[in-house]
Amino acid sequence: MTNNAASTAKINLLGLDRSGLGAFFVEQMGEKRFRADQVMKWMYHYFADDFEQMTDVGKALRQRLAEVAQIRVPSVQVDQQSTDGTRKWLLSLDGGNGIEAVFIPEPRRGTLCVSSQVGCGLNCRFCATGKQGFNRNLTSAEIVGQVWHVARTLAQQTPPRRITNVVMMGMGEPLLNFDNVVTAMNIMRDDFGFGLANKRVTLSTAGLVPKIDELSDAADVSLAVSLHAPDDALRDHLVPLNKKYPIAELLDACRRYQARRPRSSITFEYTLMKDINDSPAQARALVKRLRTLPSKLNLIPFNPFPGTEFECSEPETIETFQRIVHEAGIITTLRRTRGQDIDAACGQLAGMVDDRTRRSEQFRQEVLERARRAAA
Ligand code: SAH
């Protein structure tokens, strides 16, 4: 067996949450469950990636661990910093694919945007990841590995920084990689893990209704829903998943999720695209929809990417839209576009996707055709 094959055969402990790691120690190592707490502290509080660093774990156990397990983080392919401080990492995974993670520093918090899949199968029309097609789900170790890598990098810089919030808003649809995402979010929220408060871990979904109900049972995290349109005809077009789970059903699922977390509200994301979904009438229609449940609205100016048919709304249009929603009593935030110079803004993440759906080839043809027409 080559070294490489041996290392991939070992179990990656970054993929096990506390109950999984406890079971690993009890069932596979014949040890006590508390070993999980001990090892997690080393991994997540001191960023140890070598069992030899774990000095309060006996030498014999350290050696046994090194034989069957590893702490392996995706390797960094590219590390780019934007003029506004936003930083993006392209991380390579086994099998040659790559995913992106983005850190957005703000004066009082630092948000990490994490990917859940290589590419995405949902094909939302205005999203660069969707245009890349889908390759595979990330393992829980690969999801946690993004947080681990960035947390360690930030802890080691001067002055050090901390991740205070994680949003599952990078590449992919997190609810289509349910188990791995839930395991990873458990580690993010565990005091022996990254120790983030429940409400500081946010899962963003395009609206998989049955999975929202499952999530409600499985993890107490903040929920964000990508709405983007006040009516089904338009949403069918922008977010094809809407044909399966139309707005009324989606909002019912959100209501059920919220009802079990009475002090929380659901965040609705709404990407503003010029002459598509940004009119005052659409703002009023949106208000009617959102008034029926405790909600916040997050307006995102559309971030263009090569070959897209959409444009960003005009600043005055955005202002009017925001005012209408705000005056109706819905808390509205306008997401400042960050990291645009390094293509790290919402919906621009593209990674290195070896597309299994062949969608990227169709998209390439569309772009070429458009260029031909423009030149004619
Ligand atoms: N699959 C999840 C996570 C996607 S990315 C979801 O759909 O929620 C996070 C947000 O960025 C989503 O609201 C997504 O619709 C939005 N987005 C995608 N492409 C965008 C673009 N080009 N400009 C602005 N927002 C975009």
Side-chain angles (χ1 to χ4, degrees), residues 211-340:
K211 293 284 174 190
I212 292 176
D213 288 319
E214 255 184 72
L215 180 70
S216 186
D217 293 328
D220 196 6
V221 294
S222 294
L223 183 66
V225 172
S226 297
L227 198 58
H228 307 311
D231 62 86
D232 283 320
L234 180 58
R235 195 165 189 272
D236 280 351
H237 176 69
L238 296 174
V239 182
L241 182 69
N242 194 68
K243 292 178 199 148
K244 204 158 173 196
Y245 305 114
I247 296 175
E249 281 177 37
L250 175 57
L251 294 184
D252 280 344
C254 292
R255 227 169 264 128
R256 291 191 292 274
Y257 194 90
Q258 198 281 325
R260 290 178 59 181
R261 295 162 183 78
R263 284 185 310 183
S264 70
S265 51
I266 310 282
T267 299
F268 290 94
E269 293 154 286
Y270 195 103
T271 294
L272 285 163
M273 289 165 263
K274 186 177 180 177
D275 298 334
I276 302 287
N277 64 353
D278 62 354
S279 74
Q282 285 163 319
R284 286 190 288 271
L286 182 65
V287 164
K288 269 200 182 142
R289 293 278 199 181
L290 296 190
R291 258 201 192 133
T292 58
L293 75 165
S295 46
K296 287 187 220 152
L297 183 69
N298 191 353
L299 293 172
I300 313 170
F302 172 68
N303 289 307
F305 54 89
T308 180
E309 67 203 273
F310 299 109
E311 287 173 72
C312 182
S313 303
E314 301 296 339
E316 310 81 67
T317 315
I318 296 179
E319 217 174 284
T320 307
F321 198 97
Q322 186 175 14
R323 186 169 39 76
I324 292 170
V325 183
H326 180 78
E327 282 174 2
I330 294 167
I331 294 176
T332 310
T333 48
L334 178 63
R335 193 179 294 173
R336 205 156 46 97
T337 292
R338 302 282 304 257
Q340 215 162 13

Side-chain angles (χ1 to χ4, degrees), residues 133-153:
F134 175 73
N135 186 277
R136 69 168 171 88
N137 280 331
L138 295 186
T139 64
S140 43
E142 288 166 337
I143 300 170
V144 172
Q146 298 168 62
V147 188
W148 193 95
H149 169 73
V150 175
R152 186 180 64 166
T153 307

Side-chain angles (χ1 to χ4, degrees), residues 130-199:
K131 298 295 176 196
Q132 294 267 306
F134 175 73
N135 186 277
R136 69 168 171 88
N137 280 331
L138 295 186
T139 64
S140 43
E142 288 166 337
I143 300 170
V144 172
Q146 298 168 62
V147 188
W148 193 95
H149 169 73
V150 175
R152 186 180 64 166
T153 307
L154 297 175
Q156 288 173 347
Q157 72 184 28
T158 32
R161 281 207 71 127
R162 273 169 47 87
I163 296 171
T164 63
N165 296 64
V166 173
V167 293
M168 303 288 318
M169 293 185 187
M171 298 169 67
E173 166 52 48
L175 290 185
L176 284 175
N177 185 12
F178 192 87
D179 293 345
N180 294 342
V181 165
V182 166
T183 300
M185 294 192 308
N186 288 344
I187 297 169
M188 294 172 203
R189 297 176 299 128
D190 191 325
D191 284 340
F192 288 93
F194 295 104
L196 300 178
N198 288 343
K199 63 172 191 209

